[in-house]
Every structure is written in C-alpha cells, then in structure tokens.
Amino acid sequence: MLATIDWHIVWKQLFHPDSVFGRALWTTVYMAVIAQALGVVLGLVAALMRTSKVRALRILSGIYVWLLRGTPVLVQIVFIYYGTNILLGVTLIPNTLNLGAFTLDGAVFAGILALGINEGAYMREIIRAGIDAIDRGQMEAARSLGMTHGLAMRRIVLPQAARVIVPPLGNEFNNMLKTTSLVTIIGVHELFQDAEIRYSQDFKPVEYFGAVAVWYLVLTTVWTFVQAWIERRLAASERGDEVTFWERLVEAWTPVQAWARGAR
Amino acid sequence: MSEDGHASILRADDVHKRFGRLEVLEGISLDVRRGETVCIIGPSGSGKSTFLRCINHLEKIDSGRIEVNGHLIGYRERNGQLVEDSEKNIAKQRAEIGMVFQRFNLFPHMTALGNVIEAPCRVRGIPEKQAVASGERLLARVGLEDKRDVYPGKLSGGQQQRVAIARALAMNPALMLFDEPTSALDPEVIGEVLEVMEELSREGMTMIVVTHEMGFARKAADRVVMMDEGRIIEVGPPEHFFQAPTEERTRRFLSKIL
C-alpha cells in the first residue's frame, strides 16, 4: 500500500516547497497571530466589562459570549465576509486593504476579523477565570493603599492572573493555528487551500493532505516550545526561584513528559 | 479640629452596617485621638473587623458617619443626604489610612521592597530612587533590610507581616488599622510582629488594633474597647479592663481567653 504513495511529492512538499507554498504558510501564521492577538484584546475588554458597574456593559459582554460561542465559526467567517458590507451599508471589508507599505486581501482581513472576534468570546472566559483565581485580599490590599480599581487591576491582579491565563491561552493559539484552515471557504490561499489546489490538479490526496498535516504539526510543535518559555518566565518571577528552561519544557511538552515519567 | 495635639484622628458616630438581614454594627461611636493606640477586643462575630473595614471604606456603611482627620470617609454630603463619593476621592482617603491584614496580602509577584514602594510610586508618583531609599529605611525599621530582594513566598509569616506593616507605613498614614495581625501566625513568630507594633505605638503612631493578644493590649493600648453583638459595651484603660471590668460580658469574655 505504501508503495502506491508518490513519495517524491511528499518529499518535495516537506523539504523543497515552492514559493507559492511559502506564501500560504506565512499567511496561515500571520492570520493566526493577529487573530489571536485580537482575541486576547477583545477577551480582556469583555472580561473587564463583565465586572463593570454599568449594567449595559455587563449585558453586552454576556450577549457577545452567548452569540459567538453559540454559532459555528465557519458560519461567522462566511457571514462576516459576505454579510458585513451589506449589513452596515458601508464597505468595511474592501477587496484589498491598503496599509501603506503592504496590502491585505479583503478575504484575509475578513478571516482575521472573524477568527479574532470568535476567539475573544473564548478568551473572555479564560481571562475571567484567571482574574477570579486571584485572592480577593490582593484587590483589598491594593485599594487600602489608595489604588483605584483600574490601577489595582493593571499592577496587582492582572500580572498574577497572567500566570493562570497563559497555559489555556497556549491551547487556544494551538487551536487557532489549525482553525485558520476554515478560511479556505472564503478563498484565502493558506496552507489548507494550497493543498486543496495541488490535489485538484493530480488527485494525490494522501501526498498533499499528508504533507500539509505535517506542516501543521510543525507549527503547533514550535508553538509548544515558545509557550513553555513564556510560562517559565512568568513562573520564575512569581515564585522568585530558578527553574531551568529544560525543566519547564519537559513539564509543558506532554509527550516528553510522559516519556520522562516512564524513564524514572 | 483643634491643634493641641489631642485632636481626634477618628470620629465614628452611630455607625450601622448590615449584611442582608444580619445587623453587624448596631450604632458604633468611637473617637480616637492623635497618637493614641486603641485595641478592640471581643468574641468573634462581634463586628470588630467589620468596623475596622468600614473606617477605610472597604465596607460601605448603612447609616452614621466616619471621619478621619476631619474628612468624611466614603461619602459626600449633598442636600443634607450622604451619597457615596467618587472612586478617586475614596482612593485618596484610603491612601491616608494604613491597613494591615490578618493574612498579610502581600503582592506575591513583587519583592519585599517592590511591595513597599509600589503605592508611593504608583499612587503618589514619588520618583523611584526616593521611594527605594525610604523603602529601605522602612524595611530596616521592621528588621528586614536583608530581605529587600526576596519574594513573599520565601518569607516566614512573621517576616511577611512585618513587610506588610512597612508597606502600609510607606504611605505615611495618619492612622494605622490592624485587623487581627497575629491571628494567622505561628506562635513563635507572633512576638516579632508585636514588637514592631509596640515600637510604632511608642513612637506616637495612631493605631486601632483588632486583636486577641491581651499581652499587647495591656502593654501598648491607651484604651481598650470591648465589642459584642455589634455594639461597644465597655471602653477604658487597660488597667481597668484587666483588673475590674464593669460589664458581666467583658468579665466572661476575659475569663475565657486569659
């Protein structure tokens, strides 16, 4: 069976990809990064709105999570790409977006927007859990020293909550790297669409989709290492003791961790 | 307010506070003069801690009024009515009142010195260099100059509480509130915290201390206040309390804990 696989194609896709593929890979990466950043910002705003004194803001925050978590992200992507301009009566999503030095494809812009807005709803829950995990005494101590709620959040509560937030945030970004494949539906040439196009030319699904799966795996694996590094830095500043980089890596990278446990 | 050195720092007048149906403060009135150390004692659930937390408006009050240094705390008078003050004004008032908590509440992501200089730098806007210099002096005053770069997680309970005292003092408060500062400590480190507090009291800091440490009350207090069921039932100098308390409830309480 393995003999029927055209290993030449797999080899080329993995080790000698062309520049078209390179651009697709890059598109996947920057879409995921920007969408995740947007999600964190929206999630933080929504989490702070949730504890606001203003009732309307609290309700708005609830509706946001309810809507975005209650509908498929695929529907949201298509809806935002095709529906936004019609709905608003103005061209919010242009064919191409001119950003000075470079231009952004309208579909890419819509894709980032949809993924980011969707992600914000999940991030709100994660950030909220992080804030709730911090002892109430921290806020009280900060306020007893004359800090306002905002200052106490920024200097005392959020830095501590960050340590709680980072591990699930890492999972979210891992997901985001893969979820970007959905924007193929609105015609963005990212990793998955690249494989689709090549497959449609010579009908070699195992080769192209297999190779692209490996590329996704490479992205998520690299991210695992980055995340471990971030967590290590946060933990060191919190505990005030030294944990080696490798200890944290082993702790964070599950397969290695399982292996290490077995070896002991 | 008179300037004879015996002016009231705290004036609490008929303070009422309820949590839902439960009335925890049923009309507390207390004046504390500048330089005075007042210990509040009483059984748990008597409202001691709640009263302390009302003084810096960590708890809202339902009626009555609290003034610190002549300023109404937490509220503003508008057309003869008391309405809650703005967040900014309340924060400003709190900056003048130091508070030490039962469970320390040090900021775990900052060093001992970081804890002490945080509020002076961020709230008062004091330049860091200056804040560090006075922060180091304060840590020395509580006997922890060698711990300036240590995180709270590496300090003993007694050391943490002394850092917490230094942190509160860093804002040069007119009044210091202590909410059972030794109740969460191991017996062998209680002494080092009480020593710092006695020293502060001798130096003339105005202090209100909710405590079960009768030894401290006897040594450092100018007056002892006995609370029970949301009321002040007896006030007097420590000699009076520990030799001849008037109230039966005070006698019963003291016989249980002494």
Side-chain angles (χ1 to χ4, degrees), chain A residues 138 140 143 149 155 237, chain B residues 53 87 94 106 109 118:
Chain A
Q138 291 290 308
E140 285 190 349
R143 304 198 81 174
H149 182 83
R155 293 288 306 172
S237 68
Chain B
R53 292 162 58 81
E87 196 199 346
R94 285 199 186 112
L106 287 182
H109 58 306
E118 176 67 12

Side-chain angles (χ1 to χ4, degrees), chain B residues 13-18 21-29 45-47 50-51 63 227-232 249:
Chain B
D13 185 25
D14 199 25
V15 173
H16 286 257
K17 166 77 188 171
R18 50 170 69 242
R21 279 208 195 141
L22 184 71
E23 187 151 26
V24 278
L25 300 179
E26 301 182 16
I28 301 287
S29 299
S46 59
T50 304
F51 175 58
S63 67
M227 277 181 73
D228 193 21
E229 294 180 338
R231 294 171 194 277
I232 292 177
R249 269 185 291 179

Side-chain angles (χ1 to χ4, degrees), chain B residues 8-188:
Chain B
S8 285
I9 292 285
L10 172 77
R11 297 185 96 111
D13 185 25
D14 199 25
V15 173
H16 286 257
K17 166 77 188 171
R18 50 170 69 242
F19 291 120
R21 279 208 195 141
L22 184 71
E23 187 151 26
V24 278
L25 300 179
E26 301 182 16
I28 301 287
S29 299
L30 181 70
D31 273 29
V32 176
R33 292 185 305 274
R34 175 171 291 134
E36 213 180 4
T37 295
V38 172
C39 284
I40 304 181
I41 62 171
S44 57
S46 59
K48 319 177 292 279
S49 287
T50 304
F51 175 58
L52 206 66
R53 292 162 58 81
C54 287
I55 295 174
N56 66 354
H57 202 63
L58 283 180
E59 303 284 355
K60 293 177 188 180
I61 62 175
D62 293 314
S63 67
R65 54 191 293 148
I66 295 174
E67 286 175 19
V68 172
N69 241 348
H71 299 293
L72 188 59
I73 294 294
Y75 298 88
R76 204 188 342 214
E77 271 171 316
R78 193 185 289 159
N79 307 327
Q81 293 265 30
L82 292 188
V83 288
E84 194 165 25
D85 211 340
S86 72
E87 196 199 346
K88 247 191 164 169
N89 282 340
I90 294 172
K92 249 186 207 156
Q93 294 172 339
R94 285 199 186 112
E96 310 293 326
I97 305 168
M99 187 160 198
V100 175
F101 299 85
Q102 183 177 350
R103 290 191 304 121
F104 332 132
N105 296 344
L106 287 182
F107 307 136
H109 58 306
M110 296 176 182
T111 61
L113 183 68
N115 269 275
V116 175
I117 68 171
E118 176 67 12
C121 288
R122 303 282 162 176
V123 176
R124 291 258 162 82
I126 291 170
E128 197 177 309
K129 239 184 163 178
Q130 198 183 325
V132 167
S134 55
E136 283 172 337
R137 270 199 304 278
L138 281 167
L139 283 177
R141 195 162 151 197
V142 298
L144 292 171
E145 59 270 52
D146 55 330
K147 301 288 185 194
R148 59 164 272 174
D149 296 322
V150 178
Y151 286 85
K154 296 263 162 165
L155 296 172
S156 73
Q159 290 169 335
Q160 287 191 54
Q161 194 61 300
R162 284 187 281 155
V163 173
I165 293 171
R167 177 175 73 174
L169 289 174
M171 294 297 278
N172 289 320
L175 170 66
M176 284 281 283
L177 309 174
F178 293 84
D179 188 5
E180 302 199 25
T182 56
S183 297
L185 294 175
D186 292 331
E188 69 268 25

Side-chain angles (χ1 to χ4, degrees), chain B residues 176-205:
Chain B
M176 284 281 283
L177 309 174
F178 293 84
D179 188 5
E180 302 199 25
T182 56
S183 297
L185 294 175
D186 292 331
E188 69 268 25
V189 297
I190 288 176
E192 65 192 56
V193 173
L194 292 180
E195 243 169 67
V196 169
M197 290 169 60
E198 282 164 28
E199 174 85 30
L200 260 182
S201 172
R202 272 198 299 277
E203 287 168 9
M205 174 59 76

Side-chain angles (χ1 to χ4, degrees), chain A:
Chain A
M1 246 192 333
L2 285 176
T4 63
I5 295 174
D6 188 342
W7 288 103
H8 175 74
I9 294 177
V10 177
W11 182 266
K12 183 193 160 271
Q13 283 306 99
L14 290 180
F15 299 106
H16 301 288
D18 56 27
S19 65
V20 174
F21 176 89
R23 276 198 296 279
L25 177 68
W26 171 236
T27 302
T28 288
V29 170
Y30 81 69
M31 280 188 81
V33 170
I34 301 171
Q36 187 64 50
L38 181 61
V40 171
V41 172
L42 289 175
L44 181 60
V45 171
L48 295 176
M49 274 166 65
R50 185 186 153 267
T51 56
S52 165
K53 276 185 193 166
V54 185
R55 189 150 171 267
L57 293 179
R58 291 201 303 270
I59 293 173
L60 207 63
S61 176
I63 290 176
Y64 172 56
V65 171
W66 174 67
L67 264 184
L68 275 294
R69 287 205 313 184
T71 56
V73 63
L74 189 58
V75 174
Q76 291 163 20
I77 290 167
V78 176
F79 184 87
I80 286 181
Y81 182 52
Y82 295 109
T84 308
N85 294 348
I86 300 170
L87 202 63
L88 299 179
V90 292
T91 312
L92 189 73
I93 316 267
N95 287 331
T96 51
L97 191 66
N98 224 321
L99 295 171
F102 62 103
T103 55
L104 198 60
D105 182 61
V108 173
F109 177 58
I112 289 172
L113 214 55
L115 291 171
I117 291 171
N118 177 268
E119 179 58 23
Y122 291 89
M123 282 311 301
R124 186 199 87 152
E125 295 302 282
I126 289 170
I127 293 171
R128 166 199 141 165
I131 292 172
D132 287 352
I134 306 307
D135 188 279
R136 270 186 54 217
Q138 291 290 308
M139 180 54 93
E140 285 190 349
R143 304 198 81 174
S144 80
L145 288 163
M147 292 192 188
T148 57
H149 182 83
L151 183 62
M153 265 288 167
R154 199 157 53 76
R155 293 288 306 172
I156 307 301
V157 177
L158 286 178
Q160 293 181 61
R163 204 177 58 93
V164 187
I165 291 167
V166 163
L169 170 65
N171 287 337
E172 288 297 303
F173 186 62
N174 177 298
N175 257 328
M176 180 64 83
L177 282 166
K178 297 169 296 183
T179 310
T180 50
S181 58
L182 293 178
V183 297
T184 188
I185 197 93
I186 54 172
V188 175
H189 191 124
E190 40 66 66
L191 272 184
F192 180 63
Q193 185 158 91
D194 187 82
E196 262 188 320
I197 291 169
R198 287 170 203 271
Y199 149 74
S200 68
Q201 282 159 3
D202 50 14
F203 302 102
K204 300 273 190 190
V206 175
E207 289 79 352
Y208 289 116
F209 292 128
V212 88
V214 172
W215 275 107
Y216 279 113
L217 199 56
V218 168
L219 291 181
T220 52
T221 304
V222 168
W223 169 244
T224 305
F225 279 81
V226 174
Q227 188 189 349
W229 177 75
I230 296 171
E231 281 180 35
R232 176 191 140 267
R233 284 198 48 184
L234 279 170
S237 68
E238 173 106 350
R239 290 205 297 256
D241 56 13
E242 293 302 319
V243 182
T244 70
F245 177 63
W246 292 107
E247 274 169 10
R248 288 303 282 182
L249 255 190
V250 169
E251 221 174 277
W253 198 26
T254 322
V256 176
Q257 192 185 8
W259 171 80
R261 264 203 225 106
R264 246 178 255 145

